[in-house]
Amino acid sequence: MRRLAQCRALLVVVLASAAAMVSTSAPAQNRLAERAAMIETIKGHARSSASAVEGQGIDPAVLTTMGKVPRHLFVPEEQRSAAYGDRPLPIGYGQTISQPFIVALMTDLINVRPGDSVLEIGTGSGYQAAVLSPLAGKVYSIEIIPQLGERAAARLAELRYDNVEVKVGDGYYGWPARAPFDGIVVTAAASHIPPPLVEQLAKGGRMVVPVGGPFATQFLMLVEKRRDGSITTRQLLPVSFVPLRGGGAR
Ligand code: SAH
C-alpha cells in the first residue's frame, strides 16, 4: 500500500514536470498565424519604402527568421496580446522594442552572411539580437541599463540563442575586444555617428544607425566601409528611436 502511494506520488511529479516542459516550450510554437500576418505587413512596408530597402525588398532569409522568433516572449506579459502588431511597444525603463518593419529593415541593410560577426548597440528586450542570431555566426550586444541587459541575456539563453553574447556597458564605445564587426546595428538614436563604431567596422562591413536629436527628425543612416577602408554614408528614411545615452552620445 505504501509503495503504491509512493509510486503515485512519483507519477504526479513526473506528470507535473512534463506539463511544465510543455508550457515552457509551447509558446515558441504557437502564434504562427500572427507571425505570418506580421511578415505580410513587413512586405507591404518594404514595397512602399522601396528606396530604403534598395529596391529588392527584404531578404527572404530575414523574413523566414522573423517568422520563427517568438516576439511575444520578448515583451512584458501585459503587452503580449499586442506583440505582433505593427508598432513599437514599451519594454520598461522608458525603453521600447522597435516596430517589426524597422527590425526587418535594419537586419536586411547590414547584409548578414553566415559566419558574420555582428554588433548590436541597445539590447533592450533582446528581440533584435534573437533575429540576428540564426543569420550570423556570432552576435554581440551591449545594453546600458543593467536590468534590461541581464533580463535579455537570461531570456536569450533560455530560448537557446546560444551565439549571442550580451554585455552591460556604454555601447557608444563599441566592444574593441571583439572587433572588427561585419555588421553593426545601433538601435538608439545618436546625435552623430559614433566614431568608435566606424573604427570597429570591418572592411566591407555595414552599419545602420539612427541619427538625430530626440525632439528633432531622426534619419536612419547606412554607413559602409569599403575594401580600401574609405567610408560612405547614406541617409535612408525618417525614424523615431529612443535616445542613445552615455558618455560619448552628447
Ligand atoms: N534592440 C532592442 C530595442 C532597443 S531600445 C530590442 O530589440 O528590443 C534602445 C535600447 O538602447 C534601450 O534598451 C536603451 O537602454 C539602450 N541604450 C541607450 N543608450 C545606450 C548606450 N549608450 N549603450 C548601450 N545601450 C544603450
Side-chain angles (χ1 to χ4, degrees), residues 18-86:
M21 275 167 68
V22 169
S23 70
T24 50
S25 62
Q29 305 306 320
N30 61 24
R31 306 191 67 167
L32 279 173
E34 283 173 86
R35 276 200 289 283
M38 178 185 82
I39 300 301
E40 288 312 307
T41 306
I42 293 172
K43 285 184 185 165
H45 269 296
R47 279 191 289 274
S48 52
S49 317
S51 57
V53 294
E54 304 182 313
Q56 295 128 40
I58 304 284
D59 180 349
V62 172
L63 295 177
T64 302
T65 302
M66 288 185 68
K68 291 183 185 156
V69 178
R71 183 170 162 96
H72 61 287
L73 299 184
F74 290 85
V75 301
E77 293 271 351
E78 63 275 15
Q79 297 292 339
R80 286 203 175 151
S81 60
Y84 294 97
D86 187 32

Side-chain angles (χ1 to χ4, degrees), residues 85 116 188:
D116 275 3

Side-chain angles (χ1 to χ4, degrees), residues 91 95-97 120-128 142-145 148 169-172 187-188 242-245:
I91 54 170
Q95 307 305 317
T96 52
I97 178 174
E120 177 194 23
I121 308 305
T123 317
S125 67
Y127 178 70
Q128 171 76 71
I142 309 178
E143 170 57 52
I144 204 163
I145 299 177
L148 283 178
D170 185 350
Y172 179 90
T187 67
V242 296
L244 188 77
R245 316 177 182 190

